[in-house]
Amino acid sequence: MQIARFSLEGGAIGFGIVDEDELVVLSGDPMFAGFDTTGDRVELGDVRLLAPVIPRSKVVGIGRNYRDHAAELGNEVPEEPLVFLKPNTAVIGPEDAIPYPAQTEDLHFEGEVALVIGKVARNVTSAAAGDVVFGITAANDVTMRDRQRSDRQWARAKGFDASCPLGPVIQTEFDPESIRVQTRLDGKTVQDGTTADLVFDFGTLIEYVTSFMTLLPGDVILTGTPAGVGPMEPGQTVEVEVEGVGTLTNRIVSQQP
């Protein structure tokens, strides 16, 4: 099942279940209100899709979780998950612009599968990890690569405004071991991998993160990016396609002073 968060003309925000070219309108956020419907339907073409979730507290990123990506940047695969944080102010949605920050000369795309947490989670075992996941979506862990190298910690490089596009929907049914993720830059495929190649699988990531940090409903875990990361320039369009979710599309624009 695919869940969308959308806005109608006039600014009203709602949630709906995707049914071909329509949305079955839900009575509230399904993460908290369940899947009761209002009886209304709206055409997908008549709404604007928003980021399918705005994390209540944080986006948790996982670095170097594909061996080929670690190798392309000259890094060793970590012995345990490499965790960083993005604030919820980094989140934007499908078709939103990614401003090219003035602080960088090397802005990179990183297409990823993102886990959307559906329950309060602390000290969750790998075996029980599926119970706290609401679904998956597509993500772009936009990174100022030069600032990542110079700062030696990643808060500025990965946590700036608009550095975390999410969408277009949340898919609640998926096989965690074989999800394909592809990234295209101006239509050319630049990344192509599957979750079968993860160093640490979804369950391991959730067990590790919740061993020291409470995850709240709506929080997001970015599970890592396959090889092929590279620079983007103003005027280009980046697409991240996740199997079962669809395609997250954003255009890079020059940042206004």
Side-chain angles (χ1 to χ4, degrees):
M1 180 166 53
Q2 292 184 334
I3 306 298
R5 178 172 168 265
F6 64 91
S7 66
L8 292 164
E9 187 175 353
I13 295 176
F15 294 84
I17 300 170
V18 179
D19 183 15
E20 296 184 350
D21 294 330
E22 294 183 322
L23 288 171
V24 179
V25 180
L26 296 170
S27 59
D29 184 341
M31 204 173 297
F32 304 99
F35 294 97
D36 291 338
T37 65
T38 64
D40 295 330
R41 286 175 172 259
V42 295
E43 296 286 335
L44 270 170
D46 292 338
V47 304
R48 178 189 172 208
L49 293 183
L50 306 173
V53 62
I54 299 295
R56 292 177 69 184
S57 63
K58 56 194 169 293
V59 176
V60 180
I62 306 296
R64 304 171 192 167
N65 202 26
Y66 286 78
R67 288 179 176 83
D68 53 0
H69 170 58
E72 74 176 342
L73 296 183
N75 297 309
E76 298 291 332
V77 172
E79 295 184 0
E80 57 186 10
L82 179 59
V83 177
F84 61 92
L85 296 177
K86 285 177 177 270
N88 56 12
T89 50
V91 173
I92 59 174
E95 304 297 340
D96 287 341
I98 301 171
Y100 198 107
Q103 297 95 334
T104 186
E105 296 179 354
D106 194 17
L107 189 69
H108 280 212
F109 55 81
E110 293 190 8
E112 310 203 8
V113 179
L115 304 178
V116 180
I117 301 300
K119 299 178 181 179
V120 176
R122 182 75 164 92
N123 291 322
V124 177
T125 66
S126 177
D131 295 338
V132 303
V133 176
F134 182 74
I136 62 171
T137 192
N140 189 349
D141 177 22
V142 182
T143 302
M144 295 191 287
R145 192 69 70 199
D146 46 357
R147 299 287 73 84
Q148 185 182 23
R149 291 189 294 264
S150 66
D151 290 357
R152 299 190 179 183
Q153 51 78 33
W154 299 354
R156 179 168 63 148
K158 289 178 173 285
F160 59 93
D161 289 352
S163 65
C164 191
L166 296 174
V169 300
I170 296 171
Q171 172 61 259
T172 62
E173 301 171 5
F174 57 92
D175 177 357
E177 297 183 358
S178 61
I179 303 167
R180 188 178 184 186
V181 54
Q182 302 172 81
T183 304
R184 294 182 291 273
L185 188 64
D186 286 345
K188 178 183 178 181
T189 299
V190 287
Q191 291 185 283
D192 192 349
T194 79
T195 54
D197 299 326
L198 289 174
V199 177
F200 303 105
D201 63 20
F202 293 170
T204 300
L205 295 179
I206 289 172
E207 180 174 301
Y208 183 81
V209 171
T210 63
S211 71
F212 63 88
M213 180 189 301
T214 300
L215 296 174
L216 301 179
D219 284 352
V220 170
I221 298 178
L222 308 181
T223 61
T225 193
V229 300
M232 309 180 290
E233 299 293 339
Q236 292 189 298
T237 298
V238 61
E239 300 170 288
V240 179
E241 181 177 356
V242 169
E243 184 178 4
V245 172
T247 301
L248 169 66
T249 302
N250 301 93
R251 187 172 176 81
I252 299 84
V253 300
S254 297
Q255 189 171 53
Q256 298 300 311

